[in-house]
Amino acid sequence: DSREYTAVRDILADLGVKSVGLMTNNPRKVRELRTLGVDVDKRIACIVEDPGAIAAAYVQAKREQMGHLASDEENVSMLNEKALNE
């Protein structure tokens, strides 16, 4: 994944946004934004109740290959990681 989030940081700063609740299952996105100085105060999991067979396989591959998180329960460790780094 070669996404770069500097533009996100700049847009949030231009809008005067002080902190965000980020809807994502991607822990790398949270880390990258925090590294850029964006205060991600919570992560909201993207959960699809019945994704169907093809989408379920895709979601599982993202978990296994890219470390995507599966639920809101994993927010606890991410928020604790934030507190430890402050």
Side-chain angles (χ1 to χ4, degrees):
D1 191 354
S2 61
R3 289 182 237 181
E4 206 278 324
Y5 299 98
T6 304
V8 174
R9 178 203 56 204
D10 295 344
I11 291 167
L12 291 172
D14 285 348
L15 293 172
V17 175
K18 304 294 182 203
S19 66
V20 296
L22 189 63
M23 182 179 274
T24 185
N25 291 342
N26 185 344
R28 180 181 169 274
K29 188 179 293 181
V30 175
R31 283 192 303 273
E32 292 291 326
L33 287 170
R34 286 182 176 156
T35 298
L36 291 169
V38 175
D39 180 13
V40 180
D41 66 354
K42 70 178 175 178
R43 182 188 71 85
I44 304 159
C46 300
I47 300 170
V48 177
E49 226 172 276
D50 182 15
I54 293 172
Y58 171 75
V59 169
Q60 186 62 32
K62 290 189 86 133
R63 287 182 190 146
E64 293 172 0
Q65 296 173 15
M66 299 175 71
H68 281 213
L69 305 173
S71 70
D72 278 334
E73 293 173 6
E74 290 153 314
N75 278 334
V76 174
S77 63
M78 293 196 76
L79 293 174
N80 287 340
E81 176 184 314
K82 176 187 174 191
L84 291 173
N85 292 326
E86 291 180 341

